[in-house]
PDB file of all heavy atoms in Angstrom:
ATOM      1  N   TYR L 207       3.172 -11.394 -12.734  1.00 86.00           N
ATOM      2  CA  TYR L 207       1.853 -12.018 -12.670  1.00 86.00           C
ATOM      3  C   TYR L 207       1.896 -13.362 -11.962  1.00 86.00           C
ATOM      4  O   TYR L 207       0.997 -13.711 -11.214  1.00 86.00           O
ATOM      5  CB  TYR L 207       1.258 -12.173 -14.074  1.00 86.00           C
ATOM      6  CG  TYR L 207       0.929 -10.841 -14.675  1.00 86.00           C
ATOM      7  CD1 TYR L 207       1.850 -10.176 -15.469  1.00 86.00           C
ATOM      8  CD2 TYR L 207      -0.293 -10.215 -14.395  1.00 86.00           C
ATOM      9  CE1 TYR L 207       1.570  -8.918 -15.983  1.00 86.00           C
ATOM     10  CE2 TYR L 207      -0.580  -8.965 -14.902  1.00 86.00           C
ATOM     11  CZ  TYR L 207       0.357  -8.321 -15.694  1.00 86.00           C
ATOM     12  OH  TYR L 207       0.081  -7.077 -16.188  1.00 86.00           O
ATOM     13  N   THR L 208       2.973 -14.122 -12.198  1.00 87.00           N
ATOM     14  CA  THR L 208       3.003 -15.448 -11.585  1.00 87.00           C
ATOM     15  C   THR L 208       3.486 -15.402 -10.140  1.00 87.00           C
ATOM     16  O   THR L 208       2.949 -16.091  -9.295  1.00 87.00           O
ATOM     17  CB  THR L 208       3.884 -16.420 -12.402  1.00 87.00           C
ATOM     18  OG1 THR L 208       5.062 -15.718 -12.800  1.00 87.00           O
ATOM     19  CG2 THR L 208       3.169 -16.922 -13.610  1.00 87.00           C
ATOM     20  N   VAL L 209       4.505 -14.578  -9.839  1.00 91.00           N
ATOM     21  CA  VAL L 209       4.982 -14.488  -8.455  1.00 91.00           C
ATOM     22  C   VAL L 209       5.052 -13.025  -7.995  1.00 91.00           C
ATOM     23  O   VAL L 209       6.107 -12.535  -7.622  1.00 91.00           O
ATOM     24  CB  VAL L 209       6.359 -15.161  -8.268  1.00 91.00           C
ATOM     25  CG1 VAL L 209       6.215 -16.652  -8.156  1.00 91.00           C
ATOM     26  CG2 VAL L 209       7.312 -14.784  -9.391  1.00 91.00           C
ATOM     27  N   PRO L 210       3.901 -12.309  -8.028  1.00 92.00           N
ATOM     28  CA  PRO L 210       3.936 -10.872  -7.729  1.00 92.00           C
ATOM     29  C   PRO L 210       4.472 -10.567  -6.328  1.00 92.00           C
ATOM     30  O   PRO L 210       5.239  -9.631  -6.149  1.00 92.00           O
ATOM     31  CB  PRO L 210       2.474 -10.440  -7.872  1.00 92.00           C
ATOM     32  CG  PRO L 210       1.686 -11.677  -7.732  1.00 92.00           C
ATOM     33  CD  PRO L 210       2.529 -12.773  -8.279  1.00 92.00           C
ATOM     34  N   MET L 211       4.076 -11.396  -5.340  1.00 94.00           N
ATOM     35  CA  MET L 211       4.526 -11.127  -3.973  1.00 94.00           C
ATOM     36  C   MET L 211       6.046 -11.220  -3.876  1.00 94.00           C
ATOM     37  O   MET L 211       6.694 -10.399  -3.227  1.00 94.00           O
ATOM     38  CB  MET L 211       3.852 -12.115  -3.007  1.00 94.00           C
ATOM     39  CG  MET L 211       4.145 -11.847  -1.549  1.00 94.00           C
ATOM     40  SD  MET L 211       3.932 -10.141  -1.025  1.00 94.00           S
ATOM     41  CE  MET L 211       2.347 -10.179  -0.267  1.00 94.00           C
ATOM     42  N   LEU L 212       6.612 -12.219  -4.561  1.00 94.00           N
ATOM     43  CA  LEU L 212       8.069 -12.380  -4.536  1.00 94.00           C
ATOM     44  C   LEU L 212       8.758 -11.149  -5.131  1.00 94.00           C
ATOM     45  O   LEU L 212       9.760 -10.668  -4.600  1.00 94.00           O
ATOM     46  CB  LEU L 212       8.472 -13.638  -5.305  1.00 94.00           C
ATOM     47  CG  LEU L 212       9.952 -14.005  -5.231  1.00 94.00           C
ATOM     48  CD1 LEU L 212      10.327 -14.404  -3.816  1.00 94.00           C
ATOM     49  CD2 LEU L 212      10.278 -15.130  -6.204  1.00 94.00           C
ATOM     50  N   THR L 213       8.183 -10.593  -6.215  1.00 94.00           N
ATOM     51  CA  THR L 213       8.834  -9.441  -6.840  1.00 94.00           C
ATOM     52  C   THR L 213       8.802  -8.218  -5.920  1.00 94.00           C
ATOM     53  O   THR L 213       9.805  -7.520  -5.814  1.00 94.00           O
ATOM     54  CB  THR L 213       8.182  -9.074  -8.192  1.00 94.00           C
ATOM     55  OG1 THR L 213       6.826  -8.703  -7.969  1.00 94.00           O
ATOM     56  CG2 THR L 213       8.273 -10.203  -9.186  1.00 94.00           C
ATOM     57  N   VAL L 214       7.671  -7.986  -5.224  1.00 95.00           N
ATOM     58  CA  VAL L 214       7.653  -6.810  -4.333  1.00 95.00           C
ATOM     59  C   VAL L 214       8.538  -7.040  -3.101  1.00 95.00           C
ATOM     60  O   VAL L 214       9.151  -6.108  -2.585  1.00 95.00           O
ATOM     61  CB  VAL L 214       6.227  -6.364  -3.919  1.00 95.00           C
ATOM     62  CG1 VAL L 214       5.480  -5.804  -5.094  1.00 95.00           C
ATOM     63  CG2 VAL L 214       5.459  -7.456  -3.241  1.00 95.00           C
ATOM     64  N   ILE L 215       8.616  -8.294  -2.651  1.00 95.00           N
ATOM     65  CA  ILE L 215       9.511  -8.599  -1.524  1.00 95.00           C
ATOM     66  C   ILE L 215      10.957  -8.322  -1.930  1.00 95.00           C
ATOM     67  O   ILE L 215      11.710  -7.660  -1.214  1.00 95.00           O
ATOM     68  CB  ILE L 215       9.331 -10.065  -1.060  1.00 95.00           C
ATOM     69  CG1 ILE L 215       8.032 -10.206  -0.277  1.00 95.00           C
ATOM     70  CG2 ILE L 215      10.516 -10.521  -0.202  1.00 95.00           C
ATOM     71  CD1 ILE L 215       7.712 -11.620   0.162  1.00 95.00           C
ATOM     72  N   LEU L 216      11.347  -8.809  -3.124  1.00 95.00           N
ATOM     73  CA  LEU L 216      12.721  -8.577  -3.583  1.00 95.00           C
ATOM     74  C   LEU L 216      12.978  -7.086  -3.792  1.00 95.00           C
ATOM     75  O   LEU L 216      14.065  -6.591  -3.498  1.00 95.00           O
ATOM     76  CB  LEU L 216      12.991  -9.362  -4.872  1.00 95.00           C
ATOM     77  CG  LEU L 216      13.075 -10.883  -4.674  1.00 95.00           C
ATOM     78  CD1 LEU L 216      13.158 -11.594  -6.018  1.00 95.00           C
ATOM     79  CD2 LEU L 216      14.274 -11.253  -3.806  1.00 95.00           C
ATOM     80  N   ALA L 217      11.960  -6.371  -4.277  1.00 95.00           N
ATOM     81  CA  ALA L 217      12.122  -4.923  -4.473  1.00 95.00           C
ATOM     82  C   ALA L 217      12.380  -4.236  -3.137  1.00 95.00           C
ATOM     83  O   ALA L 217      13.254  -3.370  -3.029  1.00 95.00           O
ATOM     84  CB  ALA L 217      10.873  -4.334  -5.123  1.00 95.00           C
ATOM     85  N   ASN L 218      11.643  -4.644  -2.103  1.00 95.00           N
ATOM     86  CA  ASN L 218      11.838  -4.025  -0.795  1.00 95.00           C
ATOM     87  C   ASN L 218      13.189  -4.416  -0.184  1.00 95.00           C
ATOM     88  O   ASN L 218      13.813  -3.620   0.511  1.00 95.00           O
ATOM     89  CB  ASN L 218      10.688  -4.384   0.149  1.00 95.00           C
ATOM     90  CG  ASN L 218      10.632  -3.463   1.342  1.00 95.00           C
ATOM     91  OD1 ASN L 218      10.796  -2.250   1.199  1.00 95.00           O
ATOM     92  ND2 ASN L 218      10.461  -4.020   2.524  1.00 95.00           N
ATOM     93  N   ILE L 219      13.626  -5.636  -0.463  1.00 95.00           N
ATOM     94  CA  ILE L 219      14.960  -6.048  -0.014  1.00 95.00           C
ATOM     95  C   ILE L 219      16.006  -5.163  -0.695  1.00 95.00           C
ATOM     96  O   ILE L 219      16.934  -4.659  -0.062  1.00 95.00           O
ATOM     97  CB  ILE L 219      15.201  -7.541  -0.334  1.00 95.00           C
ATOM     98  CG1 ILE L 219      14.312  -8.417   0.540  1.00 95.00           C
ATOM     99  CG2 ILE L 219      16.672  -7.907  -0.133  1.00 95.00           C
ATOM    100  CD1 ILE L 219      14.368  -9.891   0.212  1.00 95.00           C
ATOM    101  N   TRP L 220      15.834  -4.966  -1.993  1.00 95.00           N
ATOM    102  CA  TRP L 220      16.769  -4.146  -2.770  1.00 95.00           C
ATOM    103  C   TRP L 220      16.825  -2.726  -2.194  1.00 95.00           C
ATOM    104  O   TRP L 220      17.882  -2.130  -2.087  1.00 95.00           O
ATOM    105  CB  TRP L 220      16.292  -4.104  -4.227  1.00 95.00           C
ATOM    106  CG  TRP L 220      17.245  -3.510  -5.199  1.00 95.00           C
ATOM    107  CD1 TRP L 220      18.319  -4.141  -5.762  1.00 95.00           C
ATOM    108  CD2 TRP L 220      17.217  -2.193  -5.737  1.00 95.00           C
ATOM    109  NE1 TRP L 220      18.957  -3.285  -6.610  1.00 95.00           N
ATOM    110  CE2 TRP L 220      18.311  -2.084  -6.621  1.00 95.00           C
ATOM    111  CE3 TRP L 220      16.387  -1.082  -5.563  1.00 95.00           C
ATOM    112  CZ2 TRP L 220      18.593  -0.924  -7.334  1.00 95.00           C
ATOM    113  CZ3 TRP L 220      16.669   0.082  -6.270  1.00 95.00           C
ATOM    114  CH2 TRP L 220      17.758   0.149  -7.141  1.00 95.00           C
ATOM    115  N   HIS L 221      15.661  -2.235  -1.804  1.00 93.00           N
ATOM    116  CA  HIS L 221      15.560  -0.856  -1.316  1.00 93.00           C
ATOM    117  C   HIS L 221      16.093  -0.706   0.108  1.00 93.00           C
ATOM    118  O   HIS L 221      16.679   0.314   0.456  1.00 93.00           O
ATOM    119  CB  HIS L 221      14.091  -0.417  -1.375  1.00 93.00           C
ATOM    120  CG  HIS L 221      13.848   1.012  -1.001  1.00 93.00           C
ATOM    121  ND1 HIS L 221      14.711   2.033  -1.329  1.00 93.00           N
ATOM    122  CD2 HIS L 221      12.832   1.589  -0.323  1.00 93.00           C
ATOM    123  CE1 HIS L 221      14.228   3.174  -0.870  1.00 93.00           C
ATOM    124  NE2 HIS L 221      13.102   2.936  -0.258  1.00 93.00           N
ATOM    125  N   GLY L 222      15.915  -1.734   0.951  1.00 91.00           N
ATOM    126  CA  GLY L 222      16.139  -1.525   2.380  1.00 91.00           C
ATOM    127  C   GLY L 222      17.354  -2.193   3.011  1.00 91.00           C
ATOM    128  O   GLY L 222      17.736  -1.837   4.119  1.00 91.00           O
ATOM    129  N   THR L 223      17.971  -3.147   2.310  1.00 93.00           N
ATOM    130  CA  THR L 223      19.032  -3.941   2.940  1.00 93.00           C
ATOM    131  C   THR L 223      20.184  -3.095   3.479  1.00 93.00           C
ATOM    132  O   THR L 223      20.756  -3.414   4.518  1.00 93.00           O
ATOM    133  CB  THR L 223      19.568  -4.990   1.944  1.00 93.00           C
ATOM    134  OG1 THR L 223      18.483  -5.847   1.606  1.00 93.00           O
ATOM    135  CG2 THR L 223      20.683  -5.816   2.541  1.00 93.00           C
ATOM    136  N   ALA L 224      20.512  -2.001   2.779  1.00 91.00           N
ATOM    137  CA  ALA L 224      21.663  -1.193   3.180  1.00 91.00           C
ATOM    138  C   ALA L 224      21.563  -0.724   4.625  1.00 91.00           C
ATOM    139  O   ALA L 224      22.574  -0.669   5.335  1.00 91.00           O
ATOM    140  CB  ALA L 224      21.802   0.010   2.253  1.00 91.00           C
ATOM    141  N   PHE L 225      20.340  -0.412   5.082  1.00 91.00           N
ATOM    142  CA  PHE L 225      20.179   0.056   6.456  1.00 91.00           C
ATOM    143  C   PHE L 225      20.677  -1.004   7.444  1.00 91.00           C
ATOM    144  O   PHE L 225      21.501  -0.712   8.313  1.00 91.00           O
ATOM    145  CB  PHE L 225      18.702   0.393   6.718  1.00 91.00           C
ATOM    146  CG  PHE L 225      18.426   0.857   8.120  1.00 91.00           C
ATOM    147  CD1 PHE L 225      18.682   2.165   8.490  1.00 91.00           C
ATOM    148  CD2 PHE L 225      17.922  -0.016   9.069  1.00 91.00           C
ATOM    149  CE1 PHE L 225      18.441   2.596   9.785  1.00 91.00           C
ATOM    150  CE2 PHE L 225      17.678   0.403  10.362  1.00 91.00           C
ATOM    151  CZ  PHE L 225      17.937   1.709  10.722  1.00 91.00           C
ATOM    152  N   SER L 226      20.201  -2.233   7.279  1.00 92.00           N
ATOM    153  CA  SER L 226      20.636  -3.314   8.165  1.00 92.00           C
ATOM    154  C   SER L 226      22.131  -3.567   8.007  1.00 92.00           C
ATOM    155  O   SER L 226      22.824  -3.824   8.990  1.00 92.00           O
ATOM    156  CB  SER L 226      19.865  -4.596   7.860  1.00 92.00           C
ATOM    157  OG  SER L 226      18.500  -4.405   8.061  1.00 92.00           O
TER     158      SER L 226
END
Side-chain angles (χ1 to χ4, degrees):
Chain L
Y207 292 92
T208 42
V209 280
M211 185 48 100
L212 186 67
T213 62
V214 291
I215 285 177
L216 290 172
N218 197 43
I219 291 174
W220 190 80
H221 184 37
T223 299
F225 179 81
S226 299

